[in-house]
């Protein structure tokens, strides 16, 4: 922890564990640290970052936290809330893509919160190159970012496995990205919560890369909602349940034998990484039920399957494209 604090205070980058995925952290008040972070990820400048804090009172120093009070019991946890920014000087413009709002999260990771308490608010996108699969282990961070990161803090595999739920509370509540905190959990506390981009959002500033089509993408093509009997012998297979298929055992990754969605979310990105490493051209994915965290899994898989810009995944160039959710053949 002392090393993480000293690297961050010198405006370096540190990969830190959270309960969702590993984050690449930088000081939110430092222009140079934030610039270094965008460069390391190859992240488009119009895509804002999440500011991570140790406590709600730390967030109150730069954001209007009143709208978040009804859901504060979900923190620390896999939830991000977009709020009005009250002290612009504390969060550099680049971190929020120049906007008047700020995304705030209190992660359920004791080491992350301890570092944030010592250093101040930390921006932390997933510790992968922009548009690629998020890392849920320290080894995956090293494989993604290698030389770009000063220090990786290894706390084992992330418990949840998919990124935090993002809800915008700067107006009528709107779910921008599904996650382990479900739409129902939000509505139980906030009343009605709209889902998806607001009408006309495509023309405005980017609200959330959850809204981008190609994202979370492995190198292989991804074919969704494939029943076991329809899997081809030359495909890799991301399986949900215990059924057999024509895929070779060494190209099969089982998300959950007994169809547990939390277990499936936990293994999702590791499964995509391992199957990608087999060199298979296509990853066939079992149908995942669209309930609870299953909605977050389906959201990430649809982005992994979406058409990609030539030359590799990049969330920036594909921003205008609608999400089709259709299987891709390459
Ligand atoms: O679970 C997580 O949230 C992980 C861990 C590391 O905390 N972080 C993460 O960060 O997923 P990133 O950068 O990959 O995703 C940030 C999301 C994007 O969808 C971004 O557009 C949205 O938050 N976002 C950030 N600031 C925003 C704002 N002011 N308004 C709307 N959306 C915002
Ligand atoms: Mg990300």
């Amino acid at each position: 922890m002392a090393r993480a604090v000293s690297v961050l205070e010198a405006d370096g980058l540190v990969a830190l564990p959270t309960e969702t995925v590993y984050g690449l952290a930088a000081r939110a008040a430092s222009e140079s640290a934030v610039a270094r972070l965008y460069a390391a990820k190859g992240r488009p400048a119009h895509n804002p970052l999440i500011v991570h804090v140790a406590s709600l009172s730390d967030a109150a120093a730069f954001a209007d936290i009143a709208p978040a009070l009804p859901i504060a019991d979900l923190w620390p946890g896999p939830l991000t809330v977009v709020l009005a920014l009250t002290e612009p000087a504390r969060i550099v413009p680049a971190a929020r893509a120049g906007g008047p709002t700020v995304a705030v999260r209190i992660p359920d990771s004791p080491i992350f919160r301890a570092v944030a308490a010592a250093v101040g608010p930390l921006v932390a996108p997933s510790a992968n190159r922009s548009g690629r699969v998020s890392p849920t282990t320290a080894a995956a961070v090293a494989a993604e970012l290698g030389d770009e990161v000063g220090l990786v803090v290894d706390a084992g595999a992330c418990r949840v496995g998919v990124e935090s739920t993002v809800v915008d509370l700067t107006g009528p509540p709107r779910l921008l990205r599904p996650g382990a905190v479900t739409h129902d959990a939000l509505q139980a506390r906030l009343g009605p919560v709209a889902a998806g981009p607001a009408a006309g959002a495509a023309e405005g500033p980017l609200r959330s890369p959850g809204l981008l089509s190609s994202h979370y993408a492995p190198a292989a093509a991804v074919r969704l909602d494939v029943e076991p009997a329809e899997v081809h012998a030359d495909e890799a297979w991301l399986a949900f349940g215990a059924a057999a298929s024509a895929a070779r055992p060494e190209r099969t990754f089982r998300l959950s034998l007994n169809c547990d969605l939390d277990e499936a979310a936990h293994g999702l990105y590791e499964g995509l990484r391992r199957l990608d490493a087999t060199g298979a051209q296509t990853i066939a994915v079992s149908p995942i039920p669209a309930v609870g965290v299953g909605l977050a899994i389906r959201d990430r898989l649809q982005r992994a399957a979406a058409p990609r810009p030539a030359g590799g995944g990049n969330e920036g160039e594909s921003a205008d494209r609608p999400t089709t959710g259709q299987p891709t053949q390459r």
Side-chain angles (χ1 to χ4, degrees):
M1 190 188 139
R3 284 175 63 198
V5 168
S6 73
V7 172
L8 289 164
E9 283 181 339
D11 291 342
L13 307 180
V14 176
L16 289 172
T18 82
E19 78 280 38
T20 59
V21 301
Y22 275 76
L24 185 61
R27 230 157 49 81
S30 164
E31 299 268 4
S32 69
V34 171
R36 192 167 288 152
L37 180 55
Y38 275 86
K41 279 194 54 111
R43 183 174 175 110
H46 61 265
N47 188 1
L49 300 169
I50 295 171
V51 178
H52 298 63
V53 291
S55 68
L56 201 56
S57 58
D58 288 355
F62 59 87
D64 173 13
I65 60 164
L69 295 178
I71 51 175
D73 67 296
L74 298 171
W75 274 331
L79 174 66
T80 295
V81 179
V82 178
L83 298 168
L85 183 73
T86 54
E87 290 292 333
R90 293 187 189 242
I91 310 294
V92 296
R96 45 190 162 79
T101 64
V102 60
V104 177
R105 158 156 146 78
I106 305 175
D108 189 12
S109 158
I111 185 148
F112 199 123
R113 291 202 308 278
V115 172
V119 177
L122 297 173
V123 287
S126 48
N128 52 280
R129 292 197 191 273
S130 185
R132 311 303 300 189
V133 177
S134 301
T136 53
T137 64
V141 175
E144 271 289 318
L145 291 171
D147 303 340
E148 308 281 353
V149 48
L151 181 66
V152 182
V153 177
D154 186 352
C158 300
R159 173 172 60 83
V160 174
V162 293
E163 298 83 352
S164 61
T165 303
V166 181
V167 62
D168 185 349
L169 297 183
T170 59
R174 182 171 291 277
L175 181 68
L176 298 180
R177 179 172 75 180
V181 169
T182 62
H183 199 180
D184 286 347
L186 294 172
Q187 298 200 115
R189 292 162 176 82
L190 294 166
V193 175
E203 290 108 58
L206 191 56
R207 298 301 288 170
S208 191
L211 312 180
L212 298 174
S213 56
S214 177
H215 205 89
Y216 314 106
V222 176
R223 215 158 67 86
L224 298 181
D225 290 322
V226 182
E227 294 294 344
E230 308 297 326
V231 176
H232 306 154
D234 63 348
E235 285 180 316
W237 183 33
L238 194 60
F240 185 71
S245 86
R248 307 211 304 260
E250 67 274 21
R251 287 187 165 185
T252 297
F253 186 96
R254 293 200 180 266
L255 289 172
S256 174
L257 280 170
N258 59 350
C259 297
D260 179 310
L261 286 169
D262 291 326
E263 187 183 15
H266 173 79
L268 176 67
Y269 290 138
E270 189 62 18
L272 286 172
R273 266 173 208 289
R274 288 206 196 161
L275 294 179
D276 218 14
T278 67
Q281 294 285 306
T282 305
I283 300 172
V285 184
S286 293
I288 307 287
V291 294
V293 76
L295 284 166
I297 298 172
R298 292 187 64 83
D299 170 78
R300 306 311 190 272
L301 285 169
Q302 280 171 3
R303 289 168 214 294
R308 300 158 201 176
N314 187 310
E315 47 204 76
E317 280 89 302
S318 57
D320 303 331
R321 236 181 273 191
T323 298
T324 62
Q326 292 304 306
T328 308
Q329 298 287 356
R330 279 201 321 183

